[in-house]
Amino acid sequence: MEESIFQPYLATKSIFRMDREILRPSYIPDKLPHREDHIEQLAQILAQALKGERPSNVLIFGKTGTGKTAVVKYIENEFRKADAARMVHYLYMNCEIVDTPYGVLQGIGNRFIENFNQRIPFTGLSTDRVYNLLVEKLDEEKRVVIIVLDEIDKIVLKNGDDILYQLLKINDDLSRARVSLIGISNDLKFTEYLDPRVRSRLSDEKMVFPPYNAEELRDILTERARLAFDNGAAPEAALSLIAALAAQEHGDARRALDLLRVSAELAERNGDDRIAEEHVQRAKNKIELDTVIEAVKSLPTQSKLILLGILLNEEVGNTKLTTGEVYTTYRELCRRTGISPLTQRRVTDLISELDMLGLVHARVRSFGRGGRTKEIQASVPLLDVKKVLEKDELLAEVRGYRLKVQTTLI
DNA sequence: TGTCCACTGGAAGGGAGGGCTT
DNA sequence: AAGCCCTCCCTTCCAGTGGACA
């Protein structure tokens, strides 16, 4: 066969044993190290459902990557196995993606509607209508419905607790079906935003998932590495390093697994047969940069313009900016690109969004007579991000544009 | 001690885009 | 076609504010 340019890459022997899905956070292994107790506790509560009774509502707390979602999905699989007759419906919903009351009701409802044409549309009906439709659908049969609301704090923060109130009292409107809720939150304080009645009904049972420490992370990595790699491809030293790095980042197991996967990919691409410390360090940098670049790419144009404005200032040595300065630069960029400018009020909000995404630092500071404003600073690598921004066709007019250096008088 | 700057961030509301109901 | 309803993105309006300075 003729040599193709792909040949060298195909020839390198993969250090992954089979598909690398095993290292993705979405993969649910048969064993979740250091979460056995939580699984058991949750199983005990939810087992009621198999007797046809409504289990208690559960609230689960824990930071990202502490295994909340994994445990909940694990239980879902167990229900699949145990409940052949499908009396128990277990449905998972992420409130960060579906973040409106309407969306949640619609999402739940559609799980019970097989006929595509009868599905609840994503807009158009009144929320009450959708609720009634949902009640009607659920009550068609005697069944127990367990609804998992992941990132439940997101929806409460945005829309208040009306939707939870509605879902909690849905059992009063049902005669045959029964509904239980499992809420998952990153934020321990989130119940403070709830109406006391909602709070007490929602948290019949509470569970807290503590962050993993380095040792526990190493166990998790070892377990996964055993499945994913051939012997020796992931030496203990490498796993320990990854565990240590991830433990520094608040014990996030998802981070640890990502780091392992990317380290392995880098080792493989390099033609090495095992993961070395160097691969781990490079993987760490790569992940950090990739995350930022992805976030920047998916920004709406207006936010890109604002971010570019902040970076252009940084380029000329102006690192700490006020809202006013950012807005002035932004207006200039709008003028040059022909994009119609937003009001300063809106731009403040967009700056706050950039802050939440971790792309800039913005904190409110008072300069006395100089007024009270945000102090804004980019927190992304200037050159890499600028390159990404300038790829946007809408920003073509300002490619290579530089700000004039301020002549400081003093 | 009070003033006053440059905003902040809440509230209300408009209107576009989507889609059902009658 | 007219009348609703929902969400998203945005504008307008504005009371409120931390702290350097007079």
Side-chain angles (χ1 to χ4, degrees), chain A residues 88-117:
Chain A
V88 180
H89 291 253
Y90 190 96
L91 45 103
Y92 173 90
M93 190 161 294
N94 190 321
C95 300
E96 191 169 22
I97 301 163
V98 186
D99 61 353
T100 62
Y102 184 97
V104 169
L105 294 176
Q106 182 228 7
I108 301 168
N110 278 341
R111 306 286 178 101
F112 294 94
I113 302 174
E114 272 109 58
N115 186 336
F116 192 80
N117 294 321

Side-chain angles (χ1 to χ4, degrees), chain A residues 263-288:
Chain A
S263 301
E265 281 168 2
L266 288 178
E268 184 177 281
R269 211 173 303 164
N270 218 21
D272 300 329
D273 60 353
R274 60 179 55 206
I275 302 168
E277 187 179 321
E278 179 217 344
H279 302 131
V280 178
Q281 294 295 358
R282 270 173 47 212
K284 183 169 182 264
N285 294 336
K286 180 172 168 3
I287 289 175
E288 278 161 15

Side-chain angles (χ1 to χ4, degrees), chain A residues 54 76 140 155 162 198 229 239 241 279 282 300-301 324 356 366 388:
Chain A
R54 192 188 81 84
E76 177 172 8
E140 273 175 3
I155 199 166
D162 291 359
V198 172
F229 304 118
L239 296 182
L241 176 59
H279 302 131
R282 270 173 47 212
T301 309
M356 281 196 287
S366 179
V388 174

